[in-house]
Each structure stands twice: as C-alpha cells, then as structure tokens.
C-alpha cells in the first residue's frame, strides 16, 4: 500500500494526541462561581473538561483554548487568560 502525505491509515481519537501546546489562551475556572450545570463539559470539542471529585477540572494537555466553555458558561465562572509560555 502506497501512502500519501496526510493520509489517515487507522482510526483513533483526539485523546491519543496531546494538543495543548496549540493554545494561546487558557480557560480558568472559578469553582466558587460555578453552578455545576455541566455545560462547559458538554460543549468542549476536545473533551478536556471533566467532573472529578465534586468539581470541574480542565485537562490542559488537550485544551486548545477555543473558549467555548467560557462563552457558554451561564454563571460566568470561566475566564480566558493569555497563555504564559
């Protein structure tokens, strides 16, 4: 089988690839403001937001900094801040 550049040769998920280094801003969650509604977790296209031990945690290894979680948060509990490299 001859492969071309960019060919997908087997299926997988984004969890196989840490993409957090693509980010230029990061979401920061204030759990005191959070209403634990789950919207941030459901809108994250990278499954980087998880409910763990009674609070939401952002896995920065996979978060690309798109800001959907902050934009959709009805409580305003997520701020996007400039990434420090």
């Amino acid at each position: 089988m001859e492969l071309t550049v960019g060919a997908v040769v087997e299926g997988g998920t984004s969890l196989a690839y840490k993409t957090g280094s693509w980010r230029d801003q990061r979401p920061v969650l204030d759990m005191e403001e959070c209403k634990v509604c789950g919207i941030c977790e459901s809108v994250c296209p990278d499954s980087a937001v998880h409910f763990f031990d009674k609070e939401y945690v952002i896995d920065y290894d996979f978060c690309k900094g798109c800001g959907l979680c902050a934009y959709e948060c009805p409580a305003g509990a997520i701020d996007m801040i400039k990434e420090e490299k």
Side-chain angles (χ1 to χ4, degrees):
M1 171 170 69
E2 186 176 324
L3 298 179
T4 60
V5 174
V8 176
V9 294
E10 69 181 64
T13 72
S14 63
L15 295 178
Y17 304 98
K18 292 183 178 180
T19 55
S21 64
W22 301 1
R23 189 177 57 244
D24 67 348
Q25 56 182 350
R26 75 171 45 217
V28 176
L29 175 63
D30 180 352
M31 279 306 297
E32 290 184 20
E33 296 294 322
C34 178
K35 304 298 184 215
V36 193
C37 66
I39 291 174
C40 58
E41 185 175 26
S42 67
V43 300
C44 180
D46 299 306
S47 299
V49 182
H50 305 280
F51 192 71
F52 178 74
D53 198 22
K54 300 181 183 176
E55 67 181 20
Y56 285 98
V57 177
I58 300 169
D59 187 341
Y60 292 115
D61 284 339
F62 298 100
C63 171
K64 293 184 187 86
C66 70
L68 283 173
C69 56
Y71 181 80
E72 294 294 333
C73 179
I78 304 173
D79 291 314
M80 298 300 293
I81 63 167
K82 185 172 175 56
E83 186 66 74
E84 300 288 328
K85 296 273 180 178

